[in-house]
Amino acid sequence: MHFGSPIIKANIEDEPSASTLAAAEAGLRRRWWHLLPAVFIAYSLAYLDRANYGMGAAAGLATTLHISAAQNSLLGALFFLGYFAFQLPGTMLVGKRSPVRLIFVALGVWGVLAALTGVIRVFWALALDRFLIGVAESCIFPAMLLLLTRWFTKAERSRANTLLILANPVTVLWMSAITGYLIQLFGWQRTFIYEGLPAVLWAVAWLALVRDKPADAKWMTHEATKLLESRLAHEQLAVAPVKNVKAALLRSDVILLSIVYFCWSLGVYGFVLWLPTIVRQGAALSMGRTGLLSAVPYLAAILMMLFAAQRSDKTLRRKSLVWPFLLIAGIAFGGSFLFAHSSFAIAFAGLIVAGACMYAPYGPFFAIVPERVPRTATAETLACINSSGALGAFFGSYFVGWLQSSTGDARAGYLLMAVSLVCASGLMLCLGDVKTPAAGPDNARTGSARE
């Protein structure tokens, strides 16, 4: 059996008549206000509970717990090891179970585990806790992306993906500004408890607000649902079928995208977890001021992400809105490497540029997969790519932290992140154009899509 267009053709329906089209389009606009805010908040809470460790590390977590710098780096990285190990199994569950219910369970579990980070005092128990937070969150991102493929068309997907992933820099923006002051007031341990509990509370709201598909949502009109499902089905005709999930995962473009995301994530998460420490050591600031300064690159990232997503959906170009940003980010890290000792201001300016350009192409990048792989294998393919990124994040968060503690400054970490991002950019250039199936009884279009 082929996984692809022959299966879904029978379900394609014609567009509604002109008299009902306007009402259907109005119904479709509701998706942006009913679904995406809930998705944004859930992913924001996930990112809060994985990224606030960097603030705790900068506040003296290692000193409080009497652990070595190497153990501190390992604690920061263990989240990503758990995230990597259970990415594919977790996503297979998404394919068999309701994504919405699975995310509900994950929200509650990781919220409790994140709060325990501020309670546990023993290294091995804290290491286990950090690993299990990664396990609990392992299905969240591919489940969210899969959910969006059911609710948004090709021409909307980069913006929808970006509004999801915007939770990443937005969360770090406010977390950097607020968590520093919370730590000054209550200490890093109580701060972790306070920031873990909102995920548990939001789990209840999530289950009440979000549905797995448009037909299940009471706020979607019948006309809007019918129009959306028809358009999504038509889009699948342009996607070449695959024999099975294994064949999809072994495709050369999927393997290449996985390697790109490994290198990319190595740079991103080395940056996210250790930026507060880099800033505090470089500028000798209090935790409150360190948090505020650490927030600046993420404000720039938000603006660049919105620009790239809008441009990508308008032109339907993906690759050409990914590799240049990654290249610029790598060059900016290289500049920070060169000026780290002579001028913190110039080095920090490089970090602002690097942070903005690392985040900018997320929307276009994750819009690539549904345009190349049929939706029957989309979840597993996204999980494969994201698990590769989790492995890169493990190495990035560990080695950037290890280099920071071993050398006593940030230069070696800058260089590692620069090299990884330049490699990601070069590999992205190697990605070929989308090949659509030849016209025939099962397929409606020919040719290849522009990248």
Side-chain angles (χ1 to χ4, degrees):
M1 178 183 292
H2 285 275
F3 280 51
S5 52
I7 296 175
I8 62 159
K9 187 179 178 184
N11 296 325
I12 295 175
E13 299 182 36
D14 293 331
E15 296 258 331
S17 62
S19 61
T20 59
L21 183 59
E25 292 286 5
L28 289 180
R29 286 193 288 272
R30 295 179 185 175
R31 297 165 300 160
W32 299 92
W33 301 107
H34 282 74
L35 179 68
L36 284 173
V39 167
F40 179 91
I41 293 171
Y43 194 55
S44 176
L45 291 171
Y47 212 81
L48 168 65
D49 291 335
R50 77 180 68 168
N52 61 1
Y53 183 85
M55 294 296 291
L61 180 148
T63 302
T64 304
L65 298 180
H66 306 291
I67 61 177
S68 67
Q71 288 176 314
N72 189 23
S73 295
L74 182 61
L75 285 175
L78 275 172
F79 167 90
F80 299 104
L81 195 60
Y83 194 83
F84 165 75
F86 285 83
Q87 184 84 189
L88 277 173
T91 304
M92 290 176 70
L93 269 178
V94 173
K96 297 177 181 178
R97 300 283 188 271
S98 159
V100 169
R101 292 186 180 276
L102 196 61
I103 293 169
F104 161 73
V105 173
L107 276 162
V109 172
W110 91 58
V112 171
L113 291 169
L116 286 174
T117 305
V119 176
I120 298 170
R121 299 291 187 272
V122 181
F123 173 75
W124 70 264
L126 189 56
L128 179 62
D129 182 71
R130 290 289 300 170
F131 178 83
L132 291 177
I133 295 173
V135 173
E137 290 192 22
S138 61
C139 68
I140 185 78
F141 189 54
M144 292 286 196
L145 289 172
L146 177 64
L147 197 64
L148 295 183
T149 65
R150 297 177 178 179
W151 282 88
F152 295 94
T153 65
K154 177 180 177 179
E156 303 166 323
R157 205 163 284 142
S158 182
R159 283 169 292 162
N161 289 346
T162 294
L163 290 172
L164 162 66
I165 302 168
L166 265 176
N168 176 326
V170 168
T171 300
V172 182
L173 177 67
W174 69 258
M175 183 206 73
S176 298
I178 295 175
T179 302
Y181 285 105
L182 287 176
I183 289 173
Q184 283 189 184
L185 290 173
F186 304 112
W188 66 265
Q189 290 160 313
R190 288 175 66 183
T191 298
F192 277 165
I193 296 171
Y194 296 154
E195 292 185 343
L197 294 178
V200 180
L201 300 176
W202 183 250
V204 180
W206 169 265
L207 198 59
L209 293 172
V210 183
R211 295 295 178 266
D212 287 310
K213 53 185 185 293
D216 296 337
K218 293 181 180 179
W219 48 267
M220 279 284 285
T221 65
H222 173 72
E223 292 78 12
T225 299
K226 185 177 177 181
L227 176 61
L228 178 59
E229 291 179 347
S230 173
R231 288 177 176 176
L232 291 172
H234 273 294
E235 286 180 359
Q236 285 294 296
L237 293 179
V239 181
V242 294
K243 291 181 180 180
N244 49 44
V245 171
K246 181 180 178 181
L249 298 183
L250 293 177
R251 287 169 48 137
S252 60
D253 53 354
V254 172
I255 293 172
L256 180 64
L257 288 169
S258 298
I259 299 171
V260 167
Y261 202 48
F262 173 91
C263 297
W264 183 357
S265 297
L266 193 154
V268 168
Y269 284 96
F271 180 83
V272 169
L273 257 72
W274 300 110
L275 179 63
T277 301
I278 290 169
V279 170
R280 195 175 193 194
Q281 289 185 357
L285 300 173
S286 68
M287 275 307 303
R289 291 180 180 272
T290 294
L292 287 174
L293 202 58
S294 298
V296 175
Y298 298 101
L299 179 59
I302 292 166
L303 299 176
M304 291 303 292
M305 286 179 76
L306 292 171
F307 165 77
Q310 181 70 25
R311 186 67 180 166
S312 179
D313 277 348
K314 184 177 181 180
T315 63
L316 292 183
R317 292 185 179 274
R318 311 303 188 194
K319 184 175 76 174
S320 59
L321 282 163
V322 175
W323 72 263
F325 283 112
L326 296 180
L327 179 61
I328 295 169
I331 293 171
F333 270 128
S336 294
F337 168 77
L338 293 174
F339 287 96
H341 284 168
S342 58
S343 172
F344 174 77
I346 297 176
F348 186 68
L351 293 180
I352 294 174
V353 174
C357 292
M358 277 193 302
Y359 280 98
Y362 269 118
F365 181 80
F366 281 106
I368 290 172
V369 174
E371 296 171 8
R372 291 172 174 265
V373 178
R375 60 186 177 189
T376 45
T378 297
E380 291 82 0
T381 304
L382 288 170
C384 177
I385 294 170
N386 199 45
S387 65
S388 180
L391 190 60
F394 171 78
F395 284 107
S397 56
Y398 179 75
F399 282 113
V400 172
W402 179 78
L403 288 168
Q404 175 87 8
S405 61
S406 299
T407 63
D409 65 36
R411 292 184 82 241
Y414 294 154
L415 185 59
L416 175 63
M417 290 185 280
V419 171
S420 68
L421 288 163
V422 170
C423 287
S425 175
L427 290 167
M428 194 68 199
L429 270 172
C430 299
L431 184 69
D433 291 343
V434 180
K435 301 298 182 182
T436 57
D442 294 323
N443 302 298
R445 301 179 188 177
T446 61
S448 60
R450 295 185 302 169
E451 289 291 350

